[in-house]
Amino acid sequence: MSELAELQQRIAPLFPGLMGLKLREVAQGRVLAELPVRPDLCTTGGILHGGAVMAFADTLGAIGTFMNLPAGKRTTTTDSSTKFIAAAKVGTVVSGESVALHRGRTTMVWQTSIRNAEGKLCAVVTQTQLVLDGA
């Protein structure tokens, strides 16, 4: 099984899997994924909920960090900042690209761009991931 398939299987029973997140590419410095904009992920008016946008982005940054963790380490988000720019409509698919801005020994910083079906930037999310000793 490929690394991508293993990660997809790992998140399937978790919140990102329930949201419908589909990983497209994973690498040490970049993660690509898609999310279908379903009615249950929307606000009134059929627009993707901001919390869904943030959860999508948070997952991509966490996966990126996971791809860079040394053996015996785990991660958690300590900070996240979201700038909303445009909407994504129900029945479409948004894409997310998360890139590493910093991959350090104790923290990692990822920036995720979320784009709607037309390719327009919907949100930019910058998050800090703490690197912790494994449980």
Side-chain angles (χ1 to χ4, degrees):
M1 183 180 291
S2 74
E3 189 172 48
L4 182 68
E6 285 179 30
L7 284 168
Q8 187 70 55
Q9 185 177 36
R10 193 170 183 172
I11 68 169
L14 306 174
F15 183 62
L18 295 174
M19 287 179 60
L21 188 149
K22 298 291 182 212
L23 292 168
R24 296 295 178 218
E25 181 182 321
V26 293
Q28 286 192 327
R30 183 176 144 192
V31 178
L32 297 174
E34 295 178 342
L35 181 70
V37 182
R38 303 184 321 235
D40 59 331
L41 298 177
C42 289
T43 64
T44 57
I47 300 299
L48 185 62
H49 191 283
V53 170
M54 292 169 19
F56 181 39
D58 181 68
T59 301
L60 299 189
I63 289 171
T65 300
F66 176 79
M67 298 295 298
N68 288 274
L69 288 176
K73 299 289 185 176
R74 61 187 175 91
T75 186
T76 190
T77 306
T78 61
D79 180 74
S80 184
S81 172
T82 304
K83 303 295 183 222
F84 295 103
I85 299 164
K89 297 178 183 176
V90 69
T92 64
V93 175
V94 292
S95 61
E97 178 182 29
S98 192
V99 294
L101 300 179
H102 167 73
R103 290 182 287 167
R105 186 178 51 80
T106 59
T107 62
M108 297 191 199
V109 179
W110 292 79
Q111 187 169 68
T112 304
S113 298
I114 308 295
R115 296 186 179 276
N116 65 19
E118 293 80 35
K120 186 171 183 178
L121 187 63
C122 292
V124 176
V125 180
T126 305
Q127 72 191 80
T128 303
Q129 295 285 135
L130 185 61
V131 177
L132 303 164
D133 288 330

